[in-house]
Amino acid sequence: MNSKYKQLLQPFQFENGVQLKNRIVMAPMTNFSSNDDGTVTKEETDYYSRRSGGSGMVITACAYVTPSGKGFPGEFGSDTDDMIPSLKQLAASIKEKGAIAIMQIFHGGRMVPAELVPGGDVVSASAVPAEQGHPSGEAPVPRALTIDEIHSIIDDFGESTRRAIQAGFDGVEIHGANGYLIQQFVSPHSNRREDEFGGSLEKRLAFPLAVVDSVKKAAAEFGDENFLVGYRFSPEEPETPGITMEDTLALVDALKEKNLDYLHISLMEYWSAPRRGIDDTRSRLEIIQERVGDKLPLIGVGSIYTPEDAVKAMNTGVPLIALGRELIIDPDWVQKIEEGREDKIETQLDKQAQDRLVVPDPLWQAIINTPGWFPVKE
C-alpha cells in the first residue's frame, strides 16, 4: 500500500466503542430497486454485498417510516413489523462482508410523488409547494400536518429504529437533508407554522430534535450501547427565504447536545462555499467541522473519486469520508488502495459493466438515462 493513503485505511472508533476497519463510508444512495410492497429484493442485497467488502461502514438508501413518506418508486420500507424479515436480509448482506450496517430512515414530506402515497395525500410542515427539484415536475401543494400527525410521525421514526435493531442493523441515520420532511420543518421556506413547531428558528428546530429524541429513546430501549445514531443534514437552501449557514450552525449546536454518534453533511461538492448567512470564505464543510469540533465525528462527502481527493478531504480534519457514485463506478476502490493498485481505480462509469458492477437494473437505467449524473467512460 502506498503510504500517502495510509490515513484512509486507519481504523476508527466511535465514542460508544464501535470500531470501523477504515475511514471510508458508503454514502446513502437511492436505488429504486425494492418491491412494490416495500420489501428488499435480492438485486439490492447483491448490490450492497458487492460494496461492503471494502467500506468500513455502509449507509443504506432511505427507508420510509410511514407510507405517507414514500419518496421514490422502488424504495424499501421500515413502516411495519412485516418489513423486519426483509430488513434482516439487507443488514446481513452488509455485515457478512465486514462492514458496519446503518439504515437511513426518512419521510419525504412535500417531495413525495402523489401517486406513491395513500390517497395522494402529500404532507409537509405547511401548505407551501417546493420551488424546484420535485420528481413530479410540477410540485403539488402539500397539506399542512396537524399537531397530532406530527407527533405520530415522530413516533414512527422511533418505531423504525426498533425495527432496524430487530433486523440486526448496527445503527440508523436520521435523514434530515436534501429537502425532505425533517429539513422542511427547519426551513423558513417550507415551514410557515405559528405553533410550537414553527415561527422562530428555535421552534423550527423542534421537530428534528423531537425525532432525534424518539430515535434515541428507541435505541436505548431496544438496542444496546453499541447501537449508532447519526443525523444527516444539508447546510443551505437556494430558496428565499431558505436555510442559511447561520441556521445550519444553530442546528449543529443543538444536535451537538443530543449525544449523537455522528453527523453527516450532504454536499454534491466537498469544497462548495457558503451562499449566505455567514461572512467566511472557507468551504461549508470546513466551517461546520470547526463548529462541531471534537464533540462528535463528522462525515464529509461530495464528488470524491480518487484517493487523492479523499486524502485532501481528510486533511480538513474530517475523520470519515463517504463515497457515493464512486463506489458504484468501482466497488473495489478500498481494496485497490490496500493492494497498492490505486492506479487501477476506475473513476468513470463503464456503460458495458452493469453485470460486473452488480447494479440493479432500475438504478442502472436511472444512471444511464440521466445525463451528467455520473462521469461516464465513452
Side-chain angles (χ1 to χ4, degrees):
M1 181 182 66
N2 191 320
S3 60
K4 68 180 179 179
Y5 305 129
K6 187 176 180 181
Q7 61 181 301
L8 301 176
L9 302 183
Q10 292 296 307
F12 176 82
Q13 185 166 301
F14 289 99
E15 190 70 27
N16 68 358
V18 172
Q19 183 160 304
L20 308 185
K21 61 187 177 183
N22 58 47
R23 304 303 180 98
I24 303 302
V25 176
M26 179 175 171
M29 292 177 284
T30 302
N31 60 55
F32 314 105
S33 301
S34 299
N35 293 311
D36 289 343
D37 65 357
T39 54
V40 177
T41 61
K42 185 178 185 303
E43 288 75 17
E44 282 179 288
T45 57
D46 289 347
Y47 161 81
Y48 281 106
S49 179
R50 179 71 180 85
R51 287 160 178 80
S52 299
S55 305
M57 186 164 85
V58 170
I59 306 171
T60 71
C62 55
Y64 54 88
V65 301
T66 185
S68 70
K70 184 175 182 178
F72 309 95
E75 180 184 352
F76 68 89
S78 62
D79 57 319
T80 71
D81 286 1
D82 291 342
M83 297 296 171
I84 293 173
S86 166
L87 296 174
K88 278 185 178 178
Q89 294 173 357
L90 179 56
S93 72
I94 296 168
K95 295 172 68 171
E96 67 187 8
K97 292 299 182 72
I100 294 297
I102 305 294
M103 187 175 85
Q104 191 183 67
I105 50 178
F106 146 107
H107 190 298
R110 70 180 183 178
M111 298 305 289
V112 306
E115 65 271 17
L116 292 185
V117 296
D121 186 25
V122 178
V123 298
S124 184
S126 299
V128 180
E131 285 188 5
Q132 56 186 349
H134 198 279
S136 301
E138 186 174 344
V141 178
R143 178 178 62 80
L145 289 160
T146 67
I147 293 289
D148 286 347
E149 288 173 326
I150 290 170
H151 285 292
S152 178
I153 292 172
I154 291 167
D155 291 342
D156 290 333
F157 275 93
E159 282 290 274
S160 284
T161 301
R162 172 182 61 79
R163 294 179 189 113
I165 292 166
Q166 292 173 347
F169 279 93
D170 300 302
V172 293
E173 179 174 281
I174 300 164
H175 194 350
N178 299 1
Y180 299 121
L181 184 66
I182 294 177
Q183 183 174 324
Q184 288 162 31
F185 271 87
V186 178
S187 171
H189 183 274
S190 42
N191 187 348
R192 312 290 174 94
R193 303 179 73 95
E194 296 179 352
D195 55 22
E196 69 246 51
F197 289 104
S200 67
L201 176 59
E202 181 181 9
K203 289 183 176 180
R204 285 187 275 118
L205 295 183
F207 179 74
L209 297 178
V211 168
V212 171
D213 289 343
S214 178
V215 168
K216 292 286 293 182
K217 180 181 177 184
E221 184 174 350
F222 299 102
D224 59 30
E225 67 276 6
N226 295 323
F227 190 78
L228 297 166
V229 177
Y231 187 104
R232 195 175 204 213
F233 64 95
S234 295
E236 288 186 275
E237 291 180 321
E239 294 89 356
T240 301
I243 294 172
T244 67
M245 280 296 295
E246 184 178 19
D247 295 335
T248 292
L249 293 177
L251 171 65
V252 167
D253 287 345
L255 292 172
K256 280 163 54 177
E257 303 306 315
K258 288 295 183 181
N259 199 29
L260 290 161
D261 294 293
Y262 71 85
L263 296 179
H264 186 184
I265 191 168
S266 180
L267 293 168
M268 283 297 291
E269 170 53 54
Y270 192 96
W271 301 101
S272 62
R275 283 191 183 94
R276 60 192 175 186
I278 189 170
D279 184 19
D280 198 319
T281 58
R282 292 175 298 165
S283 70
R284 294 156 163 162
L285 195 137
E286 290 171 291
I287 294 165
I288 290 167
Q289 173 59 39
E290 179 181 79
R291 192 63 162 248
V292 171
D294 296 328
K295 188 76 175 180
L296 73 172
L298 179 66
I299 302 176
V301 70
S303 299
I304 295 170
Y305 292 97
T306 68
E308 288 80 6
D309 292 340
V311 168
K312 182 181 177 185
M314 275 199 74
N315 287 341
T316 64
V318 174
L320 297 167
I321 300 296
L323 302 182
R325 288 165 291 179
E326 177 56 25
L327 286 182
I328 294 178
I329 294 168
D330 193 339
D332 300 315
W333 194 91
V334 172
Q335 294 92 322
K336 287 178 179 178
I337 295 175
E338 288 174 334
E339 297 162 5
R341 298 189 298 121
E342 62 274 2
D343 59 323
K344 302 298 183 185
I345 287 175
E346 300 174 55
T347 56
Q348 294 180 307
L349 186 72
D350 182 350
K351 293 171 74 172
Q352 311 305 315
Q354 180 183 2
D355 291 344
R356 173 173 64 86
L357 298 177
V358 193
V359 178
D361 199 57
L363 174 57
W364 188 259
Q365 294 304 320
I367 293 169
I368 296 301
N369 294 308
T370 309
W373 187 16
F374 274 64
V376 174
K377 181 164 63 176
E378 299 295 349

